[in-house]
Amino acid sequence: MPATFKTHIGGAVVELPATVRTIRESLPEEWHKEFNEAVEDCPANELFALLAKWALKPTTAEEEDRAVFEMLERREREFVEQKRREAEAGEPE
């Protein structure tokens, strides 16, 4: 059985390919050249992260991450704005 990465996507545990060959096979053919070049040019100490990135690429993980970061940024802006209004009104923190 080929090696796999396990992660959570959409609230479910997902197994992703975790070898150069199986990751390449999971990608659309038009991405193969870019993937091969990225792997061949990758420093050894960065290879794990690169393979994980490419294994996740065909999934919805990036969209989910983007949504989480957007929500966090929105909450931070709301918090900062609330603190600014409180400071202007002279309210204690």
Side-chain angles (χ1 to χ4, degrees):
M1 179 173 176
T4 59
F5 291 122
K6 288 186 182 180
T7 190
H8 289 82
I9 300 174
V13 175
V14 177
E15 287 193 47
L16 300 169
T19 67
V20 171
R21 179 185 318 280
T22 58
I23 292 170
R24 183 184 309 106
E25 289 171 352
S26 75
L27 299 170
E29 191 169 331
E30 60 268 16
W31 293 358
H32 287 191
K33 183 176 186 248
E34 183 182 354
F35 172 75
N36 290 339
E37 290 171 356
V39 169
E40 290 171 2
D41 295 335
C42 185
N45 64 326
E46 297 174 17
L47 190 56
F48 176 81
L50 179 83
L51 293 175
K53 172 187 154 190
W54 277 93
L56 286 165
K57 197 168 174 87
T59 71
T60 61
E62 187 174 337
E63 295 165 19
E64 289 180 25
D65 288 348
R66 187 175 307 116
V68 168
F69 283 112
E70 288 172 358
M71 180 264 308
L72 291 171
E73 288 171 348
R74 185 180 66 252
R75 287 185 180 176
E76 180 181 30
R77 283 190 307 272
E78 292 168 355
F79 177 80
V80 168
E81 180 60 23
Q82 177 185 353
K83 291 299 180 185
R84 184 193 61 77
R85 285 192 306 266
E86 290 173 0
E88 287 175 354
E91 297 177 19
E93 293 184 19

